[in-house]
Amino acid sequence: MTHPMAANSEFQALNAFSAALGRNSDRTQAAGGNTSLKVDGVMWIKASGTWLAHALEQDIMVPVVLADLLAALADGDPRAETAVDFVDRARNRLNLRPSIETSVHAVIPHAVVAHIHCVETLAHAVQPGCEAEIARRFDPLGDVVWAFVPYCRPGVPLSKEILARSTPGTNVLILGNHGLVVSGARVAEVEDRLDRVCQALALPHRPAQEADLGKLATIVAGTNYRLPANPIVHGVALDPVSAGHVRGGSLYPDHVIFLGPGVIETDDIAAGEAIRKPEAKDGPPPMLVLPGLGIVLHHQTTAAADALALCLWNVASRLPAGATIQRLTPEQDYQLTHWEAEKYRQALDAKAKAS
């Protein structure tokens, strides 16, 4: 069956743009990030739990009837949270569920919207008072109309905060402790603007120290933990500055979802695993930091955990020594871990690992 948007060149461009974003770990990671295109009253948006990286090989876009969703948001209709009741089912060939950020894309008036968890943006957005530095960096970018949005839970709460802090002309949003949103009239315009914004936000990063992989392999032998796919992530434990930055709380939502709230440091894997017992419903810690040695991931974790471990290093290594860090509160962690939309995304991730 031919895709209903097969002949739409902007839709094809969106898929190519999405795939490029998803394949760049500095731009977005695993199932994080989402893109959308509004055409003739329908907003095509990335499906929840899918990876932008797969946009050219899989059908990952869901059609949502825009007017109905916007009316629900205006009326405080709780169905706006998942947006599933506003999907154009006749064209949703795979019965996909819209992104948890569907309401965010809906309230932005531009035709094309890209939301990513760019590590350059995150390194700024976890530092309180970052607006002045961002303004300085954006000053040469004449077409950028931007706003800073303090952290609030993704989904409907974030969409309301965006409405309160932006204008119809706003085309760049810096989301505190969350990421970047870039919008515009066409895919090519958004792609160009996003590239220039990320370049403007670029920060130097500390090089990763080399871990003793043989020693780590011996430590995890016979345990429920494994070594991460990319050895560079051990820098989180080996670099004292980065270790200090990630200690004390979560920095952004996808870390909470795929690596658990905060980080758990331990010299003893067995003791670290016992911190959260299986009967506590949240299971063992997905990641443990072994100070001065490296990090390990639980065998139950998927490729998403590897991607978010790399993201953590890429963000932490860009934070300068002495930086003040704004972390998510335990209450904000709880909102994420007990949010049905995120539980759905976790379930899809676990299903993909099992298949």
Side-chain angles (χ1 to χ4, degrees), residues 271-285:
E273 185 169 6
I275 291 173
R276 276 181 271 178
K277 298 179 184 298
E279 58 264 33
K281 295 184 180 180
D282 54 0

Side-chain angles (χ1 to χ4, degrees), residues 37-48:
L37 173 67
K38 301 179 182 78
V39 180
D40 298 329
V42 173
M43 181 173 71
W44 291 85
I45 186 165
K46 193 203 78 164
S48 180

Side-chain angles (χ1 to χ4, degrees), residues 47-60:
S48 180
T50 60
W51 292 39
L52 285 174
H54 301 156
L56 288 176
E57 58 210 53
Q58 298 176 12
D59 185 357
I60 68 167

Side-chain angles (χ1 to χ4, degrees), residues 124-153:
H124 288 281
V126 300
Q127 298 185 61
C130 64
E131 296 97 309
E133 175 62 15
I134 292 172
R136 184 187 69 79
R137 289 168 176 261
F138 282 175
D139 186 59
L141 306 181
D143 65 326
V144 168
V145 181
W146 71 285
F148 179 82
V149 182
Y151 179 83
C152 56
R153 180 176 68 73

Side-chain angles (χ1 to χ4, degrees), residues 90-268:
R91 294 198 280 181
N92 187 20
R93 304 187 306 168
L94 301 181
N95 195 31
L96 299 171
R97 175 169 166 169
S99 165
I100 61 176
E101 303 283 20
T102 298
S103 60
V104 168
H105 287 247
V107 301
I108 295 172
H110 303 128
V112 181
V113 178
H115 166 47
I116 60 174
H117 303 150
C118 158
V119 298
E120 308 288 3
T121 305
L122 286 168
H124 288 281
V126 300
Q127 298 185 61
C130 64
E131 296 97 309
E133 175 62 15
I134 292 172
R136 184 187 69 79
R137 289 168 176 261
F138 282 175
D139 186 59
L141 306 181
D143 65 326
V144 168
V145 181
W146 71 285
F148 179 82
V149 182
Y151 179 83
C152 56
R153 180 176 68 73
V156 170
L158 178 57
S159 65
K160 292 180 177 178
E161 195 66 21
I162 287 172
L163 278 174
R165 292 178 176 268
S166 59
T167 68
T170 301
N171 53 29
V172 172
L173 297 167
I174 304 295
L175 308 181
N177 289 87
H178 188 159
L180 172 69
V181 179
V182 178
S183 57
R186 299 185 64 82
V187 173
E189 173 193 344
V190 173
E191 185 170 13
D192 174 69
R193 182 174 295 127
L194 185 145
D195 283 343
R196 289 183 291 111
V197 163
C198 290
Q199 290 169 11
L201 294 175
L203 291 163
H205 59 91
R206 292 177 295 280
Q209 300 177 41
E210 189 170 337
D212 186 337
L213 298 182
K215 185 173 183 178
L216 284 171
T218 300
I219 290 172
V220 299
T223 75
N224 291 322
Y225 285 82
R226 62 175 176 86
L227 299 190
N230 191 331
I232 196 175
V233 305
H234 295 301
V236 170
L238 296 172
D239 173 35
V241 175
S242 295
H245 288 323
V246 304
R247 190 180 295 128
S250 315
L251 298 180
Y252 38 83
D254 270 8
H255 176 100
V256 178
I257 300 308
F258 296 110
L259 294 177
V263 299
I264 294 176
E265 291 183 309
T266 180
D267 293 318
D268 180 349

Side-chain angles (χ1 to χ4, degrees), residues 15-37:
N15 282 333
F17 176 42
S18 300
L21 289 174
R23 291 169 182 166
N24 184 341
S25 60
D26 284 347
R27 295 287 169 91
T28 201
Q29 308 79 30
N34 29 77
T35 56
S36 68
L37 173 67

